[in-house]
């Protein structure tokens, strides 16, 4: 409820303000009428009502209508004896005028609070929409009303143009002044400009007074000429003070001509008062349209100039910042170019030097100024035997390459080059960056020699260890058979003997792994294929690990060994694959169940070993197949880290693949996929191990 009262109070306040402003326009009209023989002058309140309606968005129409109703021009109908008829005519006349004002504000087509005089488009809408269209509509309604009241065609035509001209005067003479007073901002003027404008306004008043009043009778014969001076003066004021000055000048220029015409001193010397009024209003409207259009154009030029000035300032600032950035980037690039440890040369396609960094200058012992314009062939730092190689590389756009250069002290260094071509055709440039790889190459060669020496040592050591270890294993096996036959011996001897056998077997497995590394590194891992039953191989391996399974506490589940799966493989290597996978499952299975499954799928055989132990992290699942790689600590789990690497090499030598699926704490699943048949060109042989046979399994 309080909000409704607040809205009502606000509405009343707004309409009171619009009524007061329109009453001021009506008072100005009454001043023009004082002592005049002409009819009612409502054009000042029309202009004020149009601006008020535009600013209040039609919310102040009630106050405007009240003033229009109280001051309505009834014309000849004012002599009507019937008060009811006069009241009805007054209501119709006020509603027609109110409708014209509302239509004009609507057709103005600019946002509330926006001054239409700032643009030529706004002035055009003020003239055409608010003036001609709304004025014609109202004048046409009045003309039709005149026909309805029985007036003649000539009189109705006069009424039409009379009402149109007065409405246009309100729109073009009073409304612009109201717009600049409410919405405009007076221009900042110097004292000299203020004095100039004051003199121009006085000249405008004097000119209009001389043309339309008897104040200066000496100039009466020239009143038409003086009236024609109004437009140049208003334009002058507009050029000096913009739209604000033009609106004031147009209003000031209309005062004496309209007042003089109403009092019979028409500049156009027509005996009919209404005709004189029509002519003076049309003339002043024409002056206003011209002045306001020029003012709007000038305002647009000023606005555009200001925008261009701001844009120029912004552009200059951006250019300044960009220039500073480019200079900083240039300095940064130059610093990198000159301080980088690599050789950097910018050359033409024929080898002519364009840029030469400080590292190059130090290498050749000459400054850039000394080598500018020369070719790299002129410098003589490319060995003669490699000149053709470097030339082809530049001409054929090879992005990378290596060649030697001769330093100024005569030493030869090996450089690795990266070439980047800029542009195309004859104007193309080549940026060459050379990195000295001499020491790295020497280190690589030394490392390769060390690796080869290590592999040779491992191979020799494994060979030398294998013979005594085999003898030791045979002696321990014979001793175990002796102990088994003599049951009276202490049990501790059997226990220690089995422990010694397990350790010698473990040592034998490690030696076998080292021998496999030597075979693989020398490319001698060639499967000796024969007809093999995978189920039988898996059963043998599982049988060997029964004791280890019992000690670990893991239960083993075998799947798929109840029927043979025949393929052509190296039986010892397939045994090795299953052995490595099962031993890892026992070692890392934490005593949890283990599943070994084999099955045939089309032309491939699958070996799956699954445990539920510690698992492998995703980051380590590919690394565990590397040589000497481990995913666990050697403190708790022994071995060289070769088992899975050897397994992968053996699987791939058979044309198969191995993969793992695992998660930490959930165990691992290794799957080996082997083709059943070898490649067509493979020769099938009986199993043999003539090179470096495995130690017997215990």
């Amino acid at each position: 409820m309080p909000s409704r009262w607040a809205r009502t109070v606000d509405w009343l306040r707004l309409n009171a303000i619009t009524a007061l402003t329109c009453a001021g326009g009506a008072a100005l009209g009454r001043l023009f009428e004082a002592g005049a023989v002409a009819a009612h002058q409502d054009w000042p309140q029309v202009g004020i009502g149009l601006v008020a309606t535009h600013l209040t968005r039609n919310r102040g129409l009630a106050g405007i209508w009240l003033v229009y109703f109280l001051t309505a021009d009834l014309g000849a109908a004012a002599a009507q004896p019937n008060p009811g008829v006069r009241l009805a005519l007054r209501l119709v006349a006020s509603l027609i005028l109110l409708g014209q004002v509302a239509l004009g504000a609507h057709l103005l087509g600019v946002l509330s609070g926006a001054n239409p005089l700032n643009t030529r488009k706004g002035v055009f809408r003020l003239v055409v929409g608010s003036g001609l269209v709304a004025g014609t509509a109202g004048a046409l309604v009045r003309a039709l009303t005149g026909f309805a009241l029985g007036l003649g065609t000539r009189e109705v035509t006069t009424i039409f143009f009379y009402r149109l001209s007065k409405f246009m005067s309100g729109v073009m003479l009073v409304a612009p002044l109201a717009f600049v007073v409410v919405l405009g901002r007076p221009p900042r003027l110097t004292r000299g400009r203020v004095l100039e404008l004051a003199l121009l306004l006085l000249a405008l008043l004097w000119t209009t007074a001389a043309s339309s009043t008897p104040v200066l009778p000496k100039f009466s014969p020239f009143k038409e000429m003086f009236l024609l001076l109004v437009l140049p003066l208003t334009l002058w004021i507009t050029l000096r003070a913009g739209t604000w000055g033009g609106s004031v000048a147009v209003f000031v220029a209309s005062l004496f001509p309209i007042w003089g015409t109403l009092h019979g001193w028409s500049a156009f010397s027509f005996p009919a008062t209404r005709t004189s009024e029509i002519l003076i209003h049309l003339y002043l409207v024409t002056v206003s349209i011209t002045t306001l259009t020029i003012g709007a154009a000038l305002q647009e030029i000023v606005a555009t100039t200001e925008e261009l000035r701001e844009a120029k300032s912004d552009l200059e600032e951006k250019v300044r910042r960009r220039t500073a950035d480019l200079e900083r980037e240039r300095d940064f690039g130059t610093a990198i170019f000159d301080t980088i440890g690599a050789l950097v040369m910018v050359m033409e396609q024929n080898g002519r030097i364009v840029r030469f960094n400080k590292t190059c200058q130090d290498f050749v012992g000459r400054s850039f100024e000394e080598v500018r314009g020369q070719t790299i062939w002129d410098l003589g730092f490319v060995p003669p035997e490699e000149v053709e190689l470097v030339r082809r590389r530049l001409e054929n756009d090879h992005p990378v390459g290596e060649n030697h250069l001769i330093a100024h002290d005569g030493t030869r260094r090996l450089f690795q080059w990266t070439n980047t071509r800029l542009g195309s055709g004859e104007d193309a440039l080549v940026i060459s960056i050379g990195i000295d790889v001499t020491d790295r190459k020497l280190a690589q060669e030394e490392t390769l020699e060390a690796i080869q020496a290590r592999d040779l040592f491992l191979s020799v050591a494994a060979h030398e260890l294998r013979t005594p270890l085999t003898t030791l294993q045979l002696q321990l096996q014979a001793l175990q058979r002796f102990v088994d036959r003599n049951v009276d011996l202490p049990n501790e001897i059997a226990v220690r003997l089995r422990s010694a056998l397990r350790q010698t077997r473990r040592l034998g497995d490690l030696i076998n792994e080292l021998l496999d590394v030597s075979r693989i590194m020398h490319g001698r891992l060639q499967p000796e294929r024969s007809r093999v039953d995978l189920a039988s191989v898996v059963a043998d391996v599982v049988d060997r690990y029964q004791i280890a399974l019992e000690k670990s506490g893991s239960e083993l589940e075998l799947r798929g060994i109840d029927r043979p799966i025949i393929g052509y493989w190296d039986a010892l290597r397939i045994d090795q694959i299953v052995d490595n996978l099962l031993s890892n499952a026992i070692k890392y299975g934490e005593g949890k169940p283990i599943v070994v499954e084999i099955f045939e799928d089309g032309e491939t055989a699958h070996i799956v070993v699954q445990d539920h132990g510690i698992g492998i992290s995703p980051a380590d699942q590919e690394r565990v197949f590397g040589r000497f790689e481990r995913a666990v600590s050697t403190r708790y789990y022994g071995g060289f880290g070769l088992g899975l690497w050897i397994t992968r090499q053996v699987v791939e030598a058979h044309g198969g693949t191995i993969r793992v699926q695992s998660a930490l704490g959930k165990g691992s699943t290794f799957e080996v996929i082997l083709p059943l048949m070898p490649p067509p060109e493979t020769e099938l042989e009986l199993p043999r191990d003539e090179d470096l046979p495995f130690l017997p399994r215990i």
Side-chain angles (χ1 to χ4, degrees), residues 119-178:
T119 63
R120 286 172 294 172
K121 185 177 181 180
V123 172
F124 177 79
R125 288 183 172 180
L126 181 67
V127 174
V128 177
S130 302
L132 282 176
V133 176
T136 301
L140 187 60
V141 172
R142 288 178 179 270
L144 294 175
T145 305
F147 278 124
L149 294 175
L151 299 179
T153 303
R154 182 173 181 179
E155 189 172 1
V156 168
T157 303
T158 303
I159 292 174
F160 176 82
F161 286 106
Y162 179 69
R163 298 306 308 176
L164 176 61
S165 64
K166 291 177 67 176
F167 189 84
M168 286 291 295
S169 290
V171 172
M172 299 308 302
L173 301 180
V174 179
L177 181 64

Side-chain angles (χ1 to χ4, degrees), residues 581 599 606-609 657-660 669-673:
L581 295 180
F599 60 91
H606 294 247
I607 306 171
V608 180
V609 179
T657 58
I658 182 172
R659 59 194 180 195
V660 61
T669 301
F670 288 86
E671 182 177 10
V672 175
I673 304 174

Side-chain angles (χ1 to χ4, degrees), residues 84-85 102 132 135 143 232 285 365 397 468 537 583 626 637 674 676 681 689:
V85 174
L132 282 176
V285 166
D397 194 19
V537 173
S583 64
Y637 300 94
L674 297 170
L676 297 175
E681 66 277 5
D689 194 16

Side-chain angles (χ1 to χ4, degrees), residues 24-36 41 44 259 262-263:
L28 179 61
R30 292 296 182 268
L31 288 177
F32 281 102
E33 295 173 16
Q41 300 297 309
W259 182 85
L262 294 177
H263 289 77

Side-chain angles (χ1 to χ4, degrees), residues 377 387-398:
W377 329 117
V387 168
E388 190 61 29
L389 171 67
V390 177
R391 192 187 301 273
R392 286 198 307 269
R393 188 184 303 150
L394 290 176
E395 292 176 352
N396 299 329
D397 194 19
H398 291 298

Side-chain angles (χ1 to χ4, degrees), residues 27 186 316 322 437 644:
E316 289 176 347
R322 183 55 181 161
V437 295
L644 287 177

Side-chain angles (χ1 to χ4, degrees), residues 673-686:
I673 304 174
L674 297 170
L676 297 175
M677 300 299 295
E681 66 277 5
T682 304
E683 296 183 4
L684 302 179
E685 302 177 2
L686 293 175

